Amino acid sequence: MSQAQVLAAANRKGAQVDPAEGRANIAEEYVYGFNWSVRRDQSTAGWRPQGVTTAYDDAGAGSTLLVSWYDLGGAQEQGMRVSFVDWSPAGPPRYRHVLLVEPYRNADGLYTYGPVRIHAGGIAAYNGYLYVADTYNGLRVFDLSTILVARNDRPTWVGLHGNGDAGDYYSYGYKYVLPQVGAYDNVGLRLRFSAVSVDRTTSPHSLLVCEYDQDGTIGYNSDFRGRPNNSRKPKLVRWPLSPGWSDTTGSLVANEVWEVGRRQMQGAASVNSTYYLSVSAGQTRRGQLMSWKPGGGAPTRQSRLSTGPEDLSYHGSEKVMWTVGEWEDFRYVYAVDPTA
């Protein structure tokens, strides 16, 4: 099933936030955006949004948005989901949640799947694939052309129930699932994969990963062999996307690493060698959009964002930077002018 078919079956509706209200209550340089369904998602305590990417990241055009959520845990933790959003400034957005799953063979050798229980702090779509940040493990990869239909009448069941042709596949009540097709595992020097974005202004296009740290210094071991590292500054790391997941070498080698030293970086995106950072300040204080250039000193403030800003995604056609707020009171998906 295609993304277009999922969007055509969208079963939830959000509400636009007009520019005047957005600039007063969400972000100084607010351009447009929306809130989720108030009854079902805007204030839910069970799920929290984190990552954002767009059709522009994926193919260089389009207005579709994808937003990742992680389950905060409970009696039955369902892992993570992605909202496929049919977005237009002309009307309220319609969207549908899709459950992300990891396939495997069960004890009988039959194919089944289970939930992907990770933080999902950042996502990036590119060339038909979705890259998901998996904190200390690397990047998980999902094929956006292989969205599958599952039975949604058993909200506590997931995967195959029954045997072979007599079995059915379930998904915690979700109608659609997106299965993982691969991963880039973190090897060598240890890196915290906190958020990820696509940069279409480089040649070749590239993935940018940023590290979150509460204090601005990271004190865990520098590698997986136990060699000590007293502390270091959070990094921005770039990988080329050519040819991307179809690379037959099976590996990605970073071609750019920068120590930024900025605490509480929740997201990062780069545009023509300028780096933009979303920086949080807790649940009650507004976050900031900051800019930084290598060799240019500390990051500088661009504008004020909502509380709890997360991942960043740059839409080159509209010249805006998308982000998402995670906290219930400011759980907006919105675009700002990054250069103002």
Side-chain angles (χ1 to χ4, degrees):
M1 175 164 285
S2 68
Q3 296 183 64
Q5 289 172 302
V6 172
L7 292 170
N11 61 346
R12 301 192 181 194
K13 185 168 68 173
Q16 285 200 60
V17 179
D18 68 57
E21 179 185 348
R23 284 190 286 269
N25 297 319
I26 302 175
E28 288 176 342
E29 300 302 331
Y30 178 95
V31 179
Y32 40 63
F34 64 92
N35 60 262
W36 305 99
S37 166
V38 173
R39 182 174 65 89
R40 305 170 90 175
D41 295 313
Q42 186 70 6
S43 298
T44 180
W47 291 88
R48 185 166 291 165
Q50 294 286 288
V52 62
T53 188
T54 72
Y56 180 85
D57 288 335
D58 189 7
S63 58
T64 302
L65 290 170
L66 275 65
V67 176
S68 67
W69 305 63
Y70 74 97
D71 189 340
L72 291 173
Q76 186 177 55
E77 186 181 349
Q78 297 178 4
M80 64 172 292
R81 67 189 185 188
V82 168
S83 302
F84 287 71
V85 185
D86 187 7
W87 159 256
S88 169
R94 297 182 61 83
Y95 63 96
R96 186 157 198 143
H97 300 313
V98 174
L99 187 72
L100 271 64
V101 297
E102 183 175 8
Y104 65 94
R105 285 183 185 266
N106 64 18
D108 296 322
L110 300 174
Y111 285 106
T112 184
Y113 53 73
V116 180
R117 294 192 174 108
I118 63 175
H119 183 68
I123 59 174
Y126 182 77
N127 199 27
Y129 293 96
L130 183 68
Y131 297 81
V132 179
D134 185 359
T135 313
Y136 292 116
N137 296 316
L139 295 169
R140 299 200 183 206
V141 185
F142 299 79
D143 186 346
L144 290 168
S145 68
T146 60
I147 302 168
L148 306 179
V149 180
R151 285 188 58 169
N152 60 351
D153 57 340
R154 300 279 186 173
T156 62
W157 290 10
V158 67
L160 176 66
H161 284 255
N163 293 316
D165 293 337
D168 285 310
Y169 289 89
Y170 297 83
S171 55
Y172 293 134
Y174 292 86
K175 185 175 181 179
Y176 304 112
V177 299
L178 179 62
Q180 182 175 329
V181 297
Y184 286 108
D185 295 330
N186 189 16
V187 296
L189 296 179
R190 194 164 188 178
L191 181 72
R192 181 181 292 176
F193 289 71
S194 299
V196 60
S197 63
V198 172
D199 187 351
R200 299 184 71 92
T201 68
T202 59
S203 181
H205 300 153
S206 54
L207 279 178
L208 181 69
V209 167
C210 81
E211 291 188 293
Y212 171 88
D213 187 80
Q214 176 69 29
D215 302 316
T217 58
I218 296 176
Y220 48 71
N221 288 338
S222 62
D223 60 24
F224 295 109
R225 293 177 290 276
R227 294 182 295 198
N229 175 29
N230 292 331
S231 66
R232 65 171 177 80
K233 298 178 181 179
K235 293 178 179 178
L236 298 174
V237 183
R238 186 188 301 275
W239 284 271
L241 273 171
S242 178
W245 180 246
S246 62
D247 190 342
T248 57
T249 65
S251 64
L252 283 176
V253 179
N255 60 358
E256 187 175 284
V257 179
W258 300 105
E259 285 193 342
V260 181
R262 175 66 214 190
R263 63 192 296 263
Q264 295 180 294
M265 291 192 300
Q266 299 281 5
S270 54
V271 184
N272 294 320
S273 300
T274 295
Y275 293 81
Y276 295 93
L277 314 173
S278 57
V279 178
S280 63
Q283 190 169 355
T284 59
R285 297 173 59 194
R286 296 276 185 113
Q288 298 181 74
L289 181 69
M290 308 190 81
S291 63
W292 179 78
K293 288 188 176 183
T300 58
R301 180 186 183 276
Q302 290 291 118
S303 61
R304 186 175 61 176
L305 301 174
S306 69
T307 61
E310 288 290 324
D311 204 16
L312 291 178
S313 176
Y314 181 70
H315 197 296
S317 297
E318 302 293 333
K319 302 294 191 294
V320 297
M321 192 73 72
W322 282 94
T323 189
V324 55
E326 67 169 333
W327 302 118
E328 289 83 344
D329 293 336
F330 283 92
R331 191 170 282 171
Y332 299 96
V333 184
Y334 59 96
V336 298
D337 180 353
T339 62

